[in-house]
Amino acid sequence: YTLEANDMRFSGTGLNTGRIWTNDGAVVTFNPIGTNNNFTALTVQARFGDDAITVTPIANIPIAVSGGDPTGSDSVLVNGTVATDTITFTPIPATDDAATVLVNALGLVTITTTESVHIVGRGGNDTLNVATPAATTSTVVLTPGATVDAGSVQVDSLVPMTFNNLGATGRLTVTDPTAADGDRLVYNGTQASDVFTLPHGVVPAPSIALNSQIGVGTTAVENYTLRGLGGDDTFNITPPL
């Protein structure tokens, strides 16, 4: 691709088929008939510029995305489906610009040299799982967004992730693959008067409800910090969490 800022899009249209286009250029369709399973992987190298890359995962085709230089301004948006999805976001340790995103059993999206990741659930009441690094004491900061199914997540100093359109009854989960390593979830409130409720009324404990935001559940996260911020806040805590 080019040495300038690009708007790059990749979309699956069926089993082992899809479309690719950059900026206002021509749309390239690969395997349009869908009978030749001759695409086994897709690699995207955005190269230079402040690139915005949109990926819709494709069945049976892993997608590797490299934002390239400069290392401070590339973004990747990953779409879910209109159905109820399970989406797993895994930031890669030992770097601050890499992650993987898995939507259901579609091809894995591997992201490198990219400074922000955005996940769009497409409204199917999805579960978005944030997987923290194994055998590491991690701090996960969750900040609610402008809608009930939107927000941002920062795992340590790894690549930041934002999300939206999971659906009003979707949920966010934070999962640590190794127990007893002292992980912490920090849940920021808003500048208004907030109500935190632990555990959540629907999401299995340990879990958190904040106002009408989607529920948050955790696995092997040992500590919670609830930040009320502005407003006259209420904390309803019923052990066990």
Side-chain angles (χ1 to χ4, degrees):
Y1 291 93
T2 73
L3 303 183
E4 301 175 349
N6 293 306
D7 179 5
M8 308 167 66
R9 297 173 184 265
F10 308 88
S11 177
T13 57
L15 183 64
N16 203 246
T17 66
R19 299 181 299 166
I20 305 171
W21 65 100
T22 302
N23 303 324
D24 295 326
V27 176
V28 177
T29 301
F30 59 87
N31 197 17
I33 300 175
T35 57
N36 300 315
N37 293 325
N38 51 357
F39 278 87
T40 59
L42 177 62
T43 299
V44 181
Q45 296 183 344
R47 303 183 70 191
F48 301 101
D50 302 329
D51 302 307
I53 303 161
T54 299
V55 177
T56 300
I58 304 170
N60 296 339
I61 301 179
I63 300 175
V65 180
S66 173
D69 290 330
T71 55
S73 53
D74 298 313
S75 64
V76 173
L77 183 153
V78 180
N79 283 313
T81 75
V82 295
T84 300
D85 298 319
T86 298
I87 305 171
T88 300
F89 168 76
T90 306
I92 297 175
T95 179
D96 61 357
D97 60 1
T100 63
V101 178
L102 180 64
V103 178
N104 304 322
L106 299 175
L108 181 69
V109 179
T110 301
I111 301 164
T112 57
T113 57
T114 298
E115 291 69 50
S116 65
V117 176
H118 185 66
I119 295 173
V120 178
R122 301 181 67 191
N125 294 319
D126 309 306
T127 296
L128 173 57
N129 183 48
V130 177
T132 65
T136 301
T137 300
S138 291
T139 297
V140 181
V141 179
L142 170 61
T143 302
T147 61
V148 298
D149 56 352
S152 64
V153 174
Q154 178 74 59
V155 179
D156 301 324
S157 59
L158 306 178
V159 63
M161 182 268 287
T162 56
F163 63 90
N164 75 325
N165 203 18
L166 297 183
T169 60
R171 65 182 62 179
L172 179 84
T173 59
V174 179
T175 302
D176 181 43
T178 51
D181 51 8
D183 298 300
R184 180 177 298 275
L185 172 63
V186 178
Y187 199 170
N188 289 323
T190 72
Q191 296 303 320
S193 296
D194 297 318
V195 177
F196 286 88
T197 303
L198 289 76
H200 189 280
V202 176
V203 179
S207 57
I208 307 172
L210 169 61
N211 304 328
S212 57
Q213 297 295 123
I214 60 172
V216 177
T218 63
T219 300
V221 174
E222 291 78 15
N223 305 286
Y224 287 168
T225 298
L226 308 178
R227 291 177 174 168
L229 303 181
D232 299 325
D233 304 308
T234 301
F235 299 85
N236 299 315
I237 301 175
T238 302
L241 304 181

